[in-house]
């Protein structure tokens, strides 16, 4: 067990170093000149200005030297300075990340809480109306384009029925809770501000449903398939021959086996939710990483792009590490 | 073996049970009017080929059938209670409590993510017999009774940590958890090695004796049933066709199908005859959707009379305590003993091919498989599959290779045919060295040595017509062009192996297992090879089909002068078919001798235990047969064995066995690797040293 955990940790560390290299190379070898993107036409036509500007950002150094500087900066917690906002990239990211993390986490919990029971029910009552309903839900979730679903939800529940709040993380007139983690739900609990908590939670409902929709569908289908696969195994027939109650067989014998592929999918899905929030954040005016990414990309803001990519890859690595570790909890065969 | 039943009410009484599968094509009558009775503490076997309805009968008893199977008629009483009238809760209360079941495959029967302890105790607790603490105590006691030496440690483990034999012991402990009145065991030893099978059968006999649990044992192997059960019911096409004392059926079967079953199998406890062909019956079981109106066996029956075609015979008494469903024997006829002529003394029965230059000669063959690293920095582990094997096969000879699973026999086959490349050693095929030869250099030799594999379902491409499968090697080797020429040769091949040449356009799924194995043999023969390496070619087949395939192999050998390397775990078949036999253990040769000599007087203790492990009916002359049940299981192959590889399980191991015994020739043609050849004789040494039990502890 300890060896397993150690080897996974080591693997993750190696992957993280490789990720820095890949991120750096991609950002520094793509065609597109940040000089032209940042300087005005007149400034860009002056070679002296351009040279000064390149020297200021270190763009005149050889590639490997720039990578060395990049790595040294990373070790000091320095992701560089954003060309567009002129602020340290880390500061920018820390400002925008909590909104995305909060949204993605709630969406992820929602996807698991809806998808797994739905998948179990669909498998247990296979070919019944329950199965058909679960199939409909997942089909709609997977096949609705995010922007379309977002507009429909907003139009229906905010515009039409007026039972949901509008875009944004809070009402425009409300004050955010004192900043501790940047996660409004957590901060408002810490401050004991139940009004803010309620407001933040209400604002999370629509965007998290929209963001989770496709994932709910995937998790439902995967859970159902894994449950059916496990139900056909010999040990299930053995459990029946032992006279165990059916409910016990489903929850204690079949489900633990069926969860193994679901965990794999869950890890991938969470990474996708983090990275794929751009569309949802745009429609719901969510001040998150997705919007920051979009802005930085449009401006060819290399330090910012590298910083974001790095943060996303490291969090993907962390999630995969968690997935690997939960395999060890679920399946004794991988523990050795 | 068992005390006469004391109770008036039988444990189980089945009357005219009918179970059908509701398919789109119509109801398939899987179990069609089966009746039997099992008293307290009694043992009954059910034997039959696959599809005869024996497993469906077992599942019907516990009402564990799944869609689309349905019980449509009859009565089943368990301890006087009507099983068919029970509500689901009542059945649930009965299952795993008074009535338990053990299934065939112990590798898949245990839940991989749940500890052994919970799987053993959950139904003790749920049936309300024990508190969790008491259940744990009982689980440990039971595992000990099942022959597991460190039960306290075993219960904390997970299934993947144990071998098949250990898992089947756990399954048995699970079955006995609530001290049932009836245990239904469906092929409990089919997936196990012969030595482990002997251990499990021994255990079943003991449990029946000690706990008085009635046992219903289902098997395709009359030997297995005979070694446990006092009575046997023979099933064919959903019906019981004969029911009697096992001993009586084996000695004098009264139904032609039972007669065919008994005679299709070579018996290790009977002298070899001059005639090596086995009794087999042609044809296939009837289509369960369209059963014949007369006797269901009539179309295949060698003894049928006019009445059999038109009238369905009842199951009627043919002798005191003997029931048979046959017009012929009910009229008083006795079925003949097959091959009764010309029994010869072992060793004198056939002319042995001797050649100056062997067709195949192998020296010091070694194969090690490195495993992938578990982590980045851990050392690579190595499976030592074959560790220095020498062998020679003369032209026209049949060499049998036997041993438990993991002994390296399949790897050896794949090395000789150069599917694998050896780690070291030499292989000379017809004078040509091929151990290190390149693929291009071997290619012309490939057509001269062909392989037949165990699984006829997996070894034929399901998307290719069998005509194309058969023509492919011919075209690939440039022997024939596609078209008329190839079609002609394919037709010829099909008729050679006893199939209809018109079937060349069919796909593999349209054939039965036996027919597919014939196709595999036809493919091997297509290139007119000198050597055919057959890796367990009959293990996946029913006994009657086994007999057909063995007869076919014998015919082909005579006709084409083939040389066979025959790999098998069934020693009776090997004794029957092979001229010489080689016994492998942990990738090394333990003994090699002419078949008749080896079986008459084995020199190596391992050979003796292997032979002794073959289940033979506990009747007549065999009462005196000394049974040696080998304890433990082979050690792993990750460590290269030092000294004599067998010494950890050997009943006569002594300190000198720590030095490896050489494979020495004791009398001409008889080789054994043992310091004390021929010394182990179970007649004189009574008990096995208990020290051997340590191989039982978890790996």
């Amino acid at each position: 067990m300890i060896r397993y955990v150690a080897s996974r940790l080591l693997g993750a560390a190696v992957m993280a170093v490789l990720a820095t290299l890949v991120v750096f190379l991609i950002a520094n070898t793509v065609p597109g000149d940040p000089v032209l993107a940042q300087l005005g036409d007149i400034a860009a036509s002056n070679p002296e200005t351009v040279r000064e500007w390149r020297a200021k950002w270190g763009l005149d150094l050889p590639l490997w030297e720039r990578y060395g500087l990049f790595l040294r900066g990373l070790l000091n917690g320095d992701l560089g300075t954003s060309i567009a906002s002129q602020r340290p990239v880390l500061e920018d990211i820390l400002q925008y990340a909590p909104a995305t993390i909060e949204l993605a986490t709630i969406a992820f919990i929602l996807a698991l809480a809806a998808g797994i029971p739905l998948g179990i029910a669909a498998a247990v009552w296979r070919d019944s109306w329950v199965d058909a309903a679960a199939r409909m839900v997942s089909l709609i979730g997977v096949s609705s384009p995010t922007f379309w679903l977002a507009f429909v939800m907003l139009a229906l529940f905010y515009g039409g029925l007026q039972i949901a709040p509008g875009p944004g993380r809070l009402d425009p007139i409300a004050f955010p809770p004192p900043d501790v983690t940047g996660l409004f739900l957590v901060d408002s609990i810490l401050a004991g501000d139940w009004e803010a908590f309620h407001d933040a939670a209400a604002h999370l409902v629509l965007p998290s449903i929209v963001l989770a929709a496709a994932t709910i569908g995937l998790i439902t289908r995967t859970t159902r398939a894994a449950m059916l696969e496990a139900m056909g195994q010999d040990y299930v027939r053995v459990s029946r021959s032992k006279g165990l109650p059916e409910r016990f067989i489903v929850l204690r014998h079949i489900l633990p086996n069926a969860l193994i592929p679901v965990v794999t999918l869950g890890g991938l899905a969470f990474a996708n939710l983090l990275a794929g929030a751009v569309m949802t954040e745009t429609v719901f005016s969510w001040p998150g990483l997705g919007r920051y990414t979009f802005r930085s990309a449009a401006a060819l803001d290399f330090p910012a792009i590298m910083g974001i990519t790095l943060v996303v890859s490291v969090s993907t690595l962390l999630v995969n590490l968690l997935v690997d570790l939960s395999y060890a909890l679920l399946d004794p065969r991988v523990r050795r | 073996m068992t005390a006469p039943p004391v109770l008036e009410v039988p444990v189980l009484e089945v009357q005219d049970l009918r179970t059908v599968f509701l398919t789109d094509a119509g109801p398939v009558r899987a179990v069609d009017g089966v009746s039997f009775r099992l008293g307290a503490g009694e043992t009954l076997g059910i034997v039959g080929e696959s599809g005869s309805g024996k497993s469906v009968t077992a599942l019907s008893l516990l009402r564990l059938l799944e869609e689309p199977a349905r019980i449509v008629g009859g009565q089943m009483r368990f301890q006087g209670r009507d099983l068919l009238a029970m509500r689901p809760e009542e059945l649930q209360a009965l299952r795993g409590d008074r009535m338990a079941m053990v299934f065939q495959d112990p590798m898949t029967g245990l839940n991989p993510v749940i500890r052994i302890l919970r799987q053993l105790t959950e139904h003790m607790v749920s049936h309300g017999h024990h508190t969790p603490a008491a259940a744990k105590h009982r689980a440990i006691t039971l595992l000990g009774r099942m022959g597991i030496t460190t039960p306290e440690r075993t219960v904390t483990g997970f299934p993947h940590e144990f071998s098949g034999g250990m898992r089947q012991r756990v399954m048995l402990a699970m079955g006995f958890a609530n001290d049932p009145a009836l245990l239904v065991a469906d092929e409990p030893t089919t997936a196990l090695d012969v030595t482990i099978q002997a251990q499990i059968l021994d255990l079943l006999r003991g449990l029946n004796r000690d706990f008085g649990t009635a046992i219903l044992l289902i098997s395709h192997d009359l030997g297995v049933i005979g070694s446990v059960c006092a009575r046997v019911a023979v099933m064919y096409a959903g019906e019981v066709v004969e029911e009697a004392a096992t001993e009586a059926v084996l000695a004098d079967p009264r139904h032609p199908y039972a007669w065919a079953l008994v005679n299709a199998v070579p018996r290790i406890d009977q002298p070899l005859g001059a005639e090596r062909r086995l009794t087999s019956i042609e044809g296939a079981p009837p289509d369960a959707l369209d059963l014949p109106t007369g006797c269901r066996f009539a179309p295949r029956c060698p003894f049928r009379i006019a009445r059999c075609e038109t009238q369905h015979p009842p199951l009627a008494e043919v002798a005191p305590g003997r029931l048979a469903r046959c017009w012929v024997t009910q009229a008083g006829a006795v079925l003949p003993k097959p091959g009764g002529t010309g029994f010869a003394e072992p060793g004198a029965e056939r002319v042995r091919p001797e050649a100056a230059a062997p067709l195949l000669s192998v020296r010091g063959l070694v194969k090690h498989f490195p495993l992938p690293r578990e982590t980045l920095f851990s050392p690579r582990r190595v499976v030592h599959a074959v560790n220095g094997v020498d062998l020679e096969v003369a032209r026209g000879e049949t060499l049998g290779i036997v041993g438990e699973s993991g002994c390296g026999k399949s790897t050896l086959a794949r090395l000789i045919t150069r599917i694998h490349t050896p780690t070291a050693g030499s292989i000379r095929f017809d004078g040509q060295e091929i151990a290190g030869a390149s693929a291009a250099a071997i290619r012309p030799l490939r057509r001269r040595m062909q392989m037949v594999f165990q699984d006829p379902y997996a070894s034929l491409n399901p998307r290719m017509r069998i005509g194309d499968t058969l023509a492919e090697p011919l075209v690939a080797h440039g022997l024939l062009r596609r078209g008329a020429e190839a079609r002609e040769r394919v037709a010829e091949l099909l008729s050679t192996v006893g199939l209809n040449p018109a079937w060349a356009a069919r796909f593999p799924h349209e054939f039965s297992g036996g027919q597919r194995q014939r196709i595999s043999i036809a493919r091997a023969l297509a290139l007119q090879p000198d050597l055919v390496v057959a890796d367990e070619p009959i293990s996946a087949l029913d006994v009657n089909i086994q007999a057909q395939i063995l007869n076919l192999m014998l015919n082909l050998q005579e006709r084409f002068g083939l040389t066979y390397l025959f790999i098998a775990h069934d020693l009776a078949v090997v004794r029957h078919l092979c001229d010489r036999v080689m016994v492998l253990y942990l990738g090394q040769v333990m003994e090699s001798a002419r078949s008749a000599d080896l079986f008459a007087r084995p020199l190596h203790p391992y050979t003796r235990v292997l032979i002794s492990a073959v289940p033979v009916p506990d009747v007549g002359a065999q009462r005196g047969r000394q049974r040696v049940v080998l304890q433990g299981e082979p050690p792993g192959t990750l460590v290269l064995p030092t000294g004599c590889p067998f010494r950890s399980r050997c009943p006569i191991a002594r300190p000198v066995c720590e030095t490896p015994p050489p494979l020495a020739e004791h009398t001409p043609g008889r080789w054994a690797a043992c310091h004390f050849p021929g010394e182990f004789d179970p007649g004189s040494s009574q008990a096995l040293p208990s020290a051997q039990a340590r191989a039982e502890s978890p790996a």
Side-chain angles (χ1 to χ4, degrees), chain B residues 130-165:
Chain B
H130 299 277
T131 61
K136 178 176 180 179
H137 181 75
R138 178 166 168 77
I140 291 171
T141 315
L142 267 175
L143 282 182
R145 174 64 185 85
M146 298 301 156
I148 287 175
T149 41
T150 50
E152 299 83 0
R153 204 138 61 87
T154 304
V155 289
T156 60
F158 286 96
H160 71 270
E161 297 166 304
F162 304 101
S163 66

Side-chain angles (χ1 to χ4, degrees), chain B residues 104-116:
Chain B
Q104 174 171 353
D105 193 351
M107 301 313 275
T108 55
L110 291 168
N111 194 328
V113 305
I114 298 179
R115 280 183 206 281
I116 300 281

Side-chain angles (χ1 to χ4, degrees), chain A residues 155-191:
Chain A
L156 192 64
F157 295 105
Y158 170 60
L161 298 171
Q162 304 203 334
I163 53 173
R169 294 181 80 187
L170 291 171
D171 272 348
I173 49 161
F175 289 105
D179 186 10
V180 183
T181 60
L183 308 170
F184 283 1
L185 291 183
V186 177
D187 287 352
S188 57
I189 290 175
L190 290 178

